[in-house]
């Protein structure tokens, strides 16, 4: 593992389109990686669309679940008008303030990618009052350059067609990259790198992997994945909002970019299990891995669903800090992904021997 391998995988994962419920591109890519590199003893796709995998440990005393969601927020076409303009509904939580004027990509029924632009009434035609308000998503449309409903339908774009904002991957200074869907392809990156490193090292506990579908619409993949895998403890690996930007008070910044993985003590869906967190912290300190605490109680994660599955599963969340999540372009530091992999591995090995 090095920064180059982290970057390459981040770029590949980010470029895949996997809006909630339509995650097949991501699913296929991940299952293919696992199979061709022989990263697990067993791997399969469950009926909901999760990629599940098991890597047996020497004793299998504990069953550690690592969960990262494969879906991303996006749109679904809800109406096509006579002139070929499309109306849409959000899938997952967008910030409506940033949607207008954005480039989008849509995937047609036969898998073709179409480009579009989100428009609404032009500023020259609006009143002063109208311009003060955030435009409702219901008053926006997508323009894909077609001139009739028939033309749109012929291209296999219909009610139910999905898409998301368009944002090509790019490198920034200081080891940073920007792109789409870092929430939570960063977590997928961490899981795949963890698997590659586990292949070379003996571990006593069994490690379970859920590349989970439909997190952004209710954590459904976490529920079914956790049921199948029967974990005794769990960590959701996420991508969390680093609001370390101008205009935000220090006391309100959840996490910082470049300060390593963020350990959650509580978010809106979970009070993290203190014993699981202690195992993380003690091992991070033993192995000199930087970490930070995410300030409570921002965001919701799959961990909330996992902890309440079956008889209950002690769980927590570890996140890669990322600016501008749930916007077209996220910005993160590759080193933070690398340190997250190190932390997860340290947790699994448990050289600090935390019970
Ligand atoms: Co997420």
């Amino acid at each position: 593992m090095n920064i180059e391998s982290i970057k390459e995988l981040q770029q590949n994962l980010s470029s895949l389109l996997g809006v909630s419920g339509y995650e097949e591109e991501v699913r296929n890519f991940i299952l293919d990686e696992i199979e061709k590199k022989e990263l697990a003893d067993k791997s399969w796709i469950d009926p909901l669309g999760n990629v599940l995998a098991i890597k047996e440990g020497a004793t299998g005393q504990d069953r550690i679940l690592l969960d990262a969601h494969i879906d991303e927020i996006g749109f679904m076409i809800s109406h096509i008008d006579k002139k070929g303009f499309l109306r849409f509904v959000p899938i997952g939580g967008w910030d409506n303030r940033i949607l207008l004027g954005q480039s989008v990509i849509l995937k047609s029924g036969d898998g073709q990618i179409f480009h579009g632009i989100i428009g609404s009434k032009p500023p020259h035609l609006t009143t002063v009052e109208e311009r003060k308000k955030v435009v409702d998503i219901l008053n926006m449309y997508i323009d894909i350059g077609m001139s009739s409903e028939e033309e749109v339908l012929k291209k296999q774009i219909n009610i139910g067609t999905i898409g998301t904002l368009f944002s090509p991957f790019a490198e920034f200074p200081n080891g940073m990259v920007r792109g789409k869907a870092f929430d939570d392809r960063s977590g997928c990156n961490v899981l795949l790198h963890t698997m590659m490193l586990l292949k070379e090292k003996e571990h006593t506990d069994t490690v379970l992997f859920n590349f989970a579908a439909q997190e952004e619409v209710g954590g459904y993949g976490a529920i079914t994945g956790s049921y199948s895998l029967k974990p005794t403890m769990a960590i959701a690996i996420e991508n969390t909002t680093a609001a370390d930007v101008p205009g935000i008070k220090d006391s309100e910044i959840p996490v910082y970019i470049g300060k390593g993985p963020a350990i959650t003590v509580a978010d809106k869906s979970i009070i993290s299990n203190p014993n699981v967190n202690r195992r993380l912290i003690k091992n991070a300190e033993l192995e000199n891995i930087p970490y930070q605490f995410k300030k409570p109680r921002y965001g919701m994660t799959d961990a909330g669903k996992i902890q309440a599955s079956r008889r209950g599963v002690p769980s927590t969340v570890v996140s890669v800090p990322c600016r501008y999540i749930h916007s077209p372009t996220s910005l993160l530091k590759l080193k933070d992904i690398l340190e997250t992999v190190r932390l997860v591995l340290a947790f699994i090995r448990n050289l600090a021997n935390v019970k």
Side-chain angles (χ1 to χ4, degrees):
M1 171 177 71
N2 54 41
I3 288 290
E4 267 314 302
S5 71
I6 296 273
K7 185 175 75 187
E8 193 189 321
L9 190 55
Q10 189 73 2
Q11 178 161 13
N12 289 337
L13 286 164
S14 165
S15 68
L16 304 169
L17 183 58
V19 176
S20 310
Y22 291 80
E23 299 102 343
E24 59 278 2
E25 274 185 29
V26 193
R27 194 158 43 235
N28 294 343
F29 176 89
I30 287 170
L31 190 65
D32 191 53
E33 283 286 298
I34 294 172
E35 286 177 350
K36 103 184 156 211
K37 294 182 179 156
E38 297 178 6
L39 298 179
D41 296 306
K42 195 177 167 202
S43 55
W44 72 102
I45 291 172
D46 83 358
L48 196 82
N50 298 316
V51 180
L52 303 180
I54 301 177
K55 178 80 171 58
E56 302 287 352
T59 68
Q61 194 184 349
D62 264 304
R63 296 170 65 82
I64 302 169
L65 169 62
L66 303 176
D67 172 294
H69 67 91
I70 56 176
D71 63 319
E72 65 186 289
I73 58 175
F75 314 111
M76 184 177 268
I77 301 307
S78 57
H79 175 79
I80 303 158
D81 78 12
K82 296 273 167 265
K83 290 180 175 158
F85 292 105
L86 316 174
R87 299 282 180 170
F88 61 99
V89 293
I91 306 268
W94 286 107
D95 176 353
N96 284 6
R97 293 173 308 168
I98 53 98
L99 290 180
L100 270 189
Q102 296 283 358
S103 296
V104 302
I105 43 171
L106 299 177
K107 194 177 180 185
S108 71
D110 59 354
Q112 295 236 68
I113 294 295
F114 286 86
H115 286 267
I117 297 157
I118 298 181
S120 82
K121 207 170 169 187
H124 326 75
L125 308 182
T126 50
T127 64
V128 175
E129 273 314 301
E130 279 177 319
R131 282 201 294 276
K132 280 185 191 156
K133 285 192 225 137
V134 176
V135 178
D136 194 302
I137 201 162
L138 294 172
N139 294 323
M140 299 179 195
Y141 57 79
I142 296 173
D143 182 347
I144 52 171
M146 294 190 194
S147 52
S148 72
E149 186 184 4
E150 292 69 43
E151 195 184 356
V152 173
L153 293 174
K154 212 178 279 171
K155 297 290 186 195
Q156 298 199 36
I157 294 168
N158 208 332
I159 290 173
T161 292
I162 52 102
T164 194
L165 295 187
F166 174 66
S167 174
F169 190 87
E171 289 187 48
F172 272 46
N174 297 315
M176 290 165 106
V177 291
R178 75 122 211 244
K180 78 167 193 47
F182 285 179
D183 174 13
D184 186 26
R185 305 295 155 72
S186 307
C188 300
N189 193 341
V190 170
L191 261 59
L192 284 169
H193 268 90
T194 301
M195 292 176 112
M196 289 181 230
L197 291 166
L198 279 180
K199 206 183 152 177
E200 297 153 17
K201 283 200 176 86
E202 271 279 293
H203 50 98
T204 52
D205 292 327
T206 291
V207 189
L208 315 164
F209 299 87
N210 184 5
F211 295 89
Q214 297 195 40
E215 187 272 346
E216 298 288 2
V217 292
Y220 299 116
I223 299 172
T224 63
S226 184
Y227 184 87
S228 300
L229 293 169
K230 303 190 183 78
T232 58
M233 63 177 81
I235 308 176
I237 312 296
E238 261 289 2
N239 193 251
T240 200
T241 181
D244 53 342
V245 294
I248 315 284
K249 277 192 275 183
D250 220 29
S251 62
E252 288 170 358
I253 294 174
V255 298
Y256 297 81
I257 265 184
K259 288 195 177 178
I263 298 172
T264 291
V265 286
D267 64 24
K268 276 194 233 158
S269 62
I270 186 173
I271 308 294
S272 297
N273 184 279
N275 293 329
V276 179
N277 273 356
R278 183 152 22 91
R279 178 163 164 174
L280 277 169
I281 293 159
K282 293 284 180 206
N283 283 290
E285 281 165 3
L286 184 75
E287 300 199 25
N288 280 318
I289 300 163
Y291 68 91
Q292 55 186 320
F293 289 111
K294 179 178 170 184
K295 292 196 179 96
R297 299 186 64 188
Y298 300 106
M300 292 172 77
T301 55
D302 273 350
K305 300 295 183 198
I306 297 165
Q307 67 162 349
S309 65
R310 288 194 166 260
R311 297 175 304 164
V313 182
S315 304
T316 190
V317 188
V318 170
S319 303
V320 177
C322 182
R323 289 181 189 153
Y324 320 117
I325 73 170
H326 288 218
S327 92
T329 45
S330 296
L331 188 66
L332 61 71
K333 216 165 200 165
L334 292 164
K335 184 107 188 313
D336 285 328
I337 301 181
L338 185 131
E339 298 292 3
T340 307
V341 178
R342 287 187 65 213
L343 178 59
V344 170
L345 272 177
F347 179 90
I348 294 167
R349 281 202 301 272
N350 194 22
L351 299 179
N353 203 22
V354 177
K355 297 275 186 277

